[in-house]
Amino acid sequence: MKRIFRSALLAAVCLGLFAAPAEAAYKKEYKLSVVPGATSGWGLSGTYFADLVKERTNGRINIKVYHGAQLMAGKQTSELLLVRNGAIDFALASTINWSPQVKQLNLTALPFFVANNPDRYKAMDAITSGKSGKMLIAAVEKTKVKFIGWGENGFRELTTSKGPIHKPADMNGMKLRVCGTPIFIDIFSALGTNPQAINWSEAVTGFQQGIVDGQENPTNGINIPLQVWTWHKYHTDWHYMIDPLLLTANQKVWKEFSAEDQKILMECAKDMEKYSKALSRLGFDEGSALAYLQSIGKAPAVTDPYKTLAEKGMNVVKFTPEMIKEFYDATKSVRDKWTKEIGEDLVKAAEADMKAAQ
Ligand code: X2X
C-alpha cells in the first residue's frame, strides 16, 4: 500500500501536478493607444515608453503603439471604457479625453487656473507631484484602471485664421473646433465664440475645408508637427489650460506582470515623464528641457518653436500676466460651475499645491 502511494506521489511530481501554478503567459503584443499621430509629442512619448520597456525587459514585454485613435475608431472619449474592458492594454491618455467619465480630470482644464500663476510649469509640476495629483490618481484608479505615470501634452494655445487676439472681444463669434468634452463648450461660449465639437480624427479635414476659424492645441506637441500655419496665421499664446497625460494599463493586464516587470514598467514611466515634459516645454523654459533632451540624444528638429512659427509666417501674441488676468476674470462663471463638478476639496488642494511651489 505504502509502495503504491509512493509511486503515485512520484508520478504526480513527474507530471508537475504539485508544481507552483505557472504565471499567466505574456501576450505577444500589448496595444498602447495614443489619440494623435506618431510625430506629435504625445505619439513620440508613447513610442519612447514602448522602446524603453522592450529594451529593459529584454523583449518580454512588447508594446505596439497605435496612433490616431485607431483603436476606438476615432472616438477619443471612448478610450477609458476600452482600457477598462481590455480591448486596449495600455493608454497614454489625455485628461481631456477621460474627463467626461472621471469628472476630477477637468481640474487642469479649468480656464486659466494653472496659467494664472507666476510660473505655470512649476504650478503644473506641483499638481502632479502633490496632494491634488494623488487625488487625481485615486479617481482614475477607482475606475479599475492602473495608473503608471504622468506625461504632458502641453499648455493649449489658440490658432486661428482671423486675428490677432488680445482681449475676449477679439474672439467674438469665431467658430472654433474643440473636442467633445463638455467643459470646452462652456469655456468657449463664455468667451463669446461658437464652439464646434469635432473628434481629432476629423478635425484636420475641418481645417482644410475651412469649416472652422480655429482650434486650440499645444505648440510643440501638436501645432508644429501638424504645420498648423497651413490654415491658421494667428497663434495666441494664452496658456489657458493644460492636459497632462496619464499612462495607464488595464488592471488585469497589469496584475499578470511579474513584480519585477511591474517595477521596470514604473521606472520606464518615470523616464517617459521627463522626456514628455521636456518635449512639451522646449523653448518655453530657461533651457533645461533642451539640455535634458540633448543629454539623452533626443532633441527634436525644432528646438526654437517661436523662431519656427515666425519663419512660417505666423503672427504670435504672447500673453502678459495682465492679459491672462483679463481672460481669467471673463471665465469665472465656468470655474465656479466646474469646481462643483470636480469637487471643491480637489480644487482647493490644487490651489494650495500650486501656491506652495511658486
Ligand atoms: O483632440 C485634441 O485636441 C487632442 C488631440 O489634443 C486631444 O486628444 C485632447
Side-chain angles (χ1 to χ4, degrees):
M1 189 64 196
K2 232 181 191 177
R3 201 176 311 140
I4 296 172
F5 178 72
R6 221 181 289 143
S7 359
L9 188 69
L10 194 71
V13 168
C14 291
L15 286 169
L17 294 183
F18 294 141
E23 274 180 23
Y26 287 6
K27 296 188 193 182
K28 282 206 178 66
E29 176 195 294
Y30 291 91
K31 294 184 168 67
L32 185 150
S33 168
V34 165
V35 168
T39 58
S40 63
W42 183 346
L44 293 171
S45 301
T47 302
Y48 186 68
F49 175 71
D51 288 347
L52 286 181
V53 170
K54 194 170 192 169
E55 189 189 309
R56 295 185 190 169
T57 61
N58 294 319
R60 280 193 302 283
I61 302 178
N62 175 31
I63 298 174
K64 183 167 173 204
V65 183
Y66 288 79
H67 304 103
Q70 54 182 298
L71 297 175
M72 53 252 180
K75 199 166 179 315
Q76 57 204 74
T77 49
S78 303
E79 195 178 42
L80 168 60
L81 303 176
L82 297 175
V83 177
R84 288 188 60 179
N85 76 15
I88 294 175
D89 302 305
F90 290 91
L92 182 56
S94 166
T95 45
I96 293 175
N97 293 325
W98 287 22
S99 57
Q101 292 98 10
V102 185
K103 290 278 186 278
Q104 292 90 332
L105 294 177
N106 287 292
L107 178 74
T108 57
L110 283 174
F112 303 95
F113 178 69
V114 184
N116 197 33
N117 280 279
D119 186 327
R120 63 185 190 278
Y121 290 118
K122 272 192 188 161
M124 183 65 246
D125 289 340
I127 292 180
T128 46
S129 63
K131 181 180 169 197
S132 51
K134 289 199 180 71
M135 291 167 83
L136 290 176
I137 294 170
V140 169
E141 293 207 319
K142 214 170 161 202
T143 69
K144 303 216 178 318
V145 160
K146 170 70 189 169
F147 173 88
I148 309 172
W150 295 104
E152 187 165 287
N153 190 22
F155 281 95
R156 299 176 73 93
E157 317 295 10
L158 191 62
T159 72
T160 47
S161 54
K162 300 173 183 166
I165 296 162
H166 293 96
K167 51 186 188 309
D170 296 335
M171 300 174 69
N172 217 357
M174 278 189 187
K175 214 169 159 187
L176 301 173
R177 177 271 164 179
V178 294
C179 62
T181 298
I183 192 171
F184 286 82
I185 303 290
D186 287 350
I187 297 170
F188 286 91
S189 301
L191 291 169
T193 71
N194 177 8
Q196 306 288 311
I198 305 175
N199 279 322
W200 186 244
S201 52
E202 286 156 21
V204 178
T205 320
F207 307 151
Q208 279 161 357
Q209 295 171 346
I211 60 168
V212 287
D213 303 313
Q215 62 96 38
E216 43 73 58
N217 253 302
T219 310
N220 289 337
I222 305 269
N223 294 341
I224 291 181
L226 188 67
Q227 307 196 332
V228 76
W229 46 81
T230 314
W231 315 287
H232 305 151
K233 290 290 168 234
Y234 298 94
H235 205 281
T236 307
D237 284 18
W238 60 346
H239 328 308
Y240 86 113
M241 59 151 293
I242 178 165
D243 49 333
L245 302 175
L246 308 155
L247 179 63
T248 46
N250 170 273
Q251 207 175 49
K252 185 165 169 282
V253 165
W254 178 259
K255 284 186 180 154
E256 283 170 1
F257 292 131
S258 69
E260 180 204 358
D261 283 338
Q262 288 178 348
K263 192 164 162 260
I264 295 174
L265 286 162
M266 299 297 263
E267 284 162 6
C268 294
K270 277 277 161 229
D271 285 343
M272 186 279 290
E273 176 181 0
K274 281 193 248 163
Y275 173 67
S276 178
K277 285 187 170 177
L279 283 183
S280 146
R281 299 171 185 198
L282 184 65
F284 305 124
D285 66 0
E286 20 39 67
S288 53
L290 179 59
Y292 177 72
L293 291 168
Q294 283 168 338
S295 77
I296 58 166
K298 291 270 177 198
V302 172
T303 55
D304 186 345
Y306 284 130
K307 188 162 158 259
T308 298
L309 296 180
E311 279 167 6
K312 300 298 179 184
M314 287 201 95
N315 173 315
V316 181
V317 175
K318 296 183 196 171
F319 270 31
T320 60
E322 292 70 34
M323 290 160 87
I324 290 177
K325 180 69 174 46
E326 191 182 347
F327 278 75
Y328 180 84
D329 292 342
T331 48
K332 181 179 183 302
S333 61
V334 183
R335 286 193 306 281
D336 289 350
K337 172 180 167 186
W338 281 88
T339 294
K340 291 195 194 89
E341 299 271 335
I342 294 164
E344 209 134 348
D345 284 6
L346 174 55
V347 174
K348 286 229 160 68
E351 273 166 352
D353 285 338
M354 292 192 294
K355 195 157 175 237
Q358 295 299 318

